[in-house]
Amino acid sequence: MDCYLSYTKPRFPTLSAGVLCRPITFGLRVGRRPLIVAASTSSTSKCEFGGLNAPLEPRTPAGKFLSGVLLDDRDKFQGTARKELERLAADRDEAAARLQLSLGSDEACLHRRIAEFRNHECQEAVEDIMYMLIFYKFSDMGVNLVPRLSKCVYNGRVEIWPSKDWELESIHSVEVLEMVREHLTAIVGCKANANVTDSWATTSVQRLRLCKMYAASVLYGNFLKTVSLRYKLEQGLDLSSCHFGMSVHGHHPISEMFSTGSKYIACGQVGSPRPAPLGQVSYSLGSKPESLRFYMMGFDPETIQMCAKPKTREAVNLVERHICALFGDEETGLLENDDVITTSFASLKRFLLEAVAFGSFLWDAENSVNAVYTLDEN
């Protein structure tokens, strides 16, 4: 999709008078309000966006086909995505069946290689489909993903407008939203009730740290989605012998575990964290946790790690690819430039709210796909 450049000054409170700005607008052809990434015009670089205006471009025929369906025939997107998943599952199962039939024959080695190639090909296609499902959820509420930063940062500065904070917060329940806001406060010091002047005050952050903050927020969104659904499930079951009454001593807020960057997923790498201690928890029979927050206090470090990480290999790969595409070099995808980016607290908040929503939508996409196409466990 072509983008257009208009040399007008966007109304950003953080930009000083007399600074000429070039707003770069882009959006889906579905009547959505475009996202504007504003930057200084002193650079001769161009910020061009096409197709889905997302950091990660589909790399497989299935992903490219679904991107076209999403843009041109949105109402058929979900049905088409399911058919593509069914086709991929059939192709993978057929290759595996032929391998089983060829065991013990001279053709076994050939069919093993075919099955491995088909499995890898299907895995890449499924990751693209999951990404399209996530993008569909964002576009459904009128929110565009922030594009690749290497195309948007000029002279070390970037701003995002409109913020779409309300839309990004509306996907959470009241209790979950409170914890999301605490996470933002812990990670950037941005208070939920900050006034306009404080919100548009400028701040500087290194690209690598911003990458870690974004990755940590993706995992936190996935964690909150997992825990909230698990809490609702246990609340609906009659587990009279497993109800907990908890008293916690020396507890550290779980949001702090996601506030120092991502030790689960760095750009291009996956690792295991060393969770912070939660303190001592005592259990008694006959009472249920009074709230989601109180329920989470009973988690040991292993449970927190289990709930935070994506459940499948495809989801882990997708998070890595998305983050590397967003922060990394356009050609290599690696984070080679750890430059300092200047932005406002309002834009930083918008950026991390998107990451939390991405983690929540990742959970949805992972489970939707797994119902049709069996994913590999992480």
Side-chain angles (χ1 to χ4, degrees):
M1 183 187 300
D2 296 334
C3 72
Y4 63 88
L5 304 178
S6 58
Y7 291 84
T8 58
K9 183 176 180 180
R11 298 177 181 176
F12 293 129
T14 54
L15 299 181
S16 58
V19 179
L20 180 64
C21 294
R22 177 177 59 191
I24 303 151
T25 63
F26 58 96
L28 289 174
R29 291 177 290 178
V30 291
R32 307 292 184 186
R33 188 177 181 184
L35 179 71
I36 301 175
V37 180
S40 171
T41 58
S42 59
S43 172
T44 58
S45 301
K46 294 182 179 180
C47 188
E48 299 178 353
F49 307 103
L52 293 173
N53 303 325
L56 192 60
E57 292 290 335
R59 59 181 178 177
T60 63
K64 294 176 182 179
F65 172 64
L66 280 180
S67 68
V69 173
L70 181 58
L71 292 172
D72 299 329
D73 200 354
R74 183 181 182 85
D75 293 338
K76 296 182 179 179
F77 172 77
Q78 290 182 314
T80 304
R82 184 178 181 86
K83 290 180 180 179
E84 285 296 307
L85 289 171
E86 292 173 347
R87 180 185 62 80
L88 291 171
D91 290 346
R92 184 183 64 173
D93 293 344
E94 181 181 0
R98 290 182 177 178
L99 172 61
Q100 291 297 322
L101 291 174
S102 66
L103 292 178
S105 67
D106 296 336
E107 298 179 349
C109 182
L110 174 62
H111 283 287
R112 180 176 293 105
R113 290 186 178 183
I114 293 175
E116 291 174 353
F117 174 79
R118 182 67 65 187
N119 186 69
H120 178 72
E121 187 179 53
C122 290
Q123 185 182 49
E124 290 187 339
V126 166
E127 290 174 16
D128 276 354
I129 293 176
M130 291 175 65
Y131 197 70
M132 291 298 101
L133 291 172
I134 293 172
F135 187 89
Y136 175 83
K137 300 274 282 188
F138 275 104
S139 63
D140 198 41
M141 60 182 183
V143 176
N144 292 288
L145 288 169
V146 175
R148 186 187 294 269
L149 287 187
S150 62
K151 293 183 177 181
C152 301
V153 176
Y154 294 92
N155 292 337
R157 183 157 187 174
V158 63
E159 295 290 351
I160 305 170
W161 185 261
S163 63
K164 296 290 185 178
D165 288 0
W166 186 90
E167 288 84 351
L168 290 168
E169 291 179 345
S170 66
I171 66 172
H172 307 294
S173 66
V174 175
E175 192 171 12
V176 170
L177 179 57
E178 182 182 353
M179 287 184 280
V180 170
R181 289 172 174 171
E182 289 177 357
H183 168 72
L184 295 179
T185 300
I187 201 169
V188 297
C190 179
K191 297 182 180 180
N193 58 351
N195 57 40
V196 175
T197 303
D198 293 338
S199 295
W200 286 102
T202 57
T203 184
S204 298
V205 58
Q206 288 184 305
R207 185 186 293 258
L208 178 59
R209 176 161 178 79
L210 184 59
C211 173
K212 292 181 178 181
M213 290 163 62
Y214 189 93
S217 298
V218 170
L219 292 174
Y220 191 59
N222 189 77
F223 170 79
L224 289 177
K225 183 77 172 186
T226 302
V227 173
S228 60
L229 292 176
R230 174 173 168 171
Y231 172 69
K232 290 179 181 178
L233 176 62
E234 294 191 11
Q235 286 290 95
L237 296 177
D238 183 15
L239 301 178
S240 57
S241 62
C242 300
H243 297 158
F244 302 129
M246 307 180 202
S247 59
V248 182
H249 307 282
H251 172 69
H252 298 281
I254 290 180
S255 60
E256 291 183 359
M257 295 180 58
F258 298 87
S259 64
T260 58
S262 172
K263 292 184 179 180
Y264 293 89
I265 297 180
C267 191
Q269 296 182 347
V270 177
S272 297
R274 185 164 49 192
L278 295 182
Q280 298 177 353
V281 179
S282 63
Y283 302 93
S284 61
L285 298 179
S287 62
K288 291 185 178 181
E290 298 176 356
S291 65
L292 175 61
R293 183 189 301 274
F294 202 58
Y295 172 74
M296 291 166 55
M297 289 180 180
F299 286 5
D300 55 26
E302 291 75 17
T303 303
I304 294 177
Q305 180 178 346
M306 179 188 68
C307 293
K309 68 179 183 180
K311 298 185 293 294
T312 63
R313 186 181 306 171
E314 289 84 355
V316 172
N317 292 341
L318 182 57
V319 172
E320 289 183 346
R321 289 176 53 209
H322 173 70
I323 292 176
C324 287
L326 181 59
F327 293 95
D329 181 76
E330 186 174 356
E331 295 181 359
T332 65
L334 300 176
L335 188 59
E336 299 175 345
N337 182 20
D338 191 18
D339 55 334
V340 177
I341 297 174
T342 300
T343 186
S344 64
F345 281 103
S347 292
L348 190 57
K349 176 185 175 183
R350 156 67 172 85
F351 198 59
L352 298 181
L353 280 175
E354 175 188 300
V356 175
F358 189 97
S360 180
F361 292 157
L362 176 68
W363 191 98
D364 293 330
E366 192 177 38
N367 284 271
S368 296
V369 170
N370 204 35
V372 181
Y373 179 100
T374 304
L375 301 173
D376 295 331
E377 290 188 7
N378 179 24

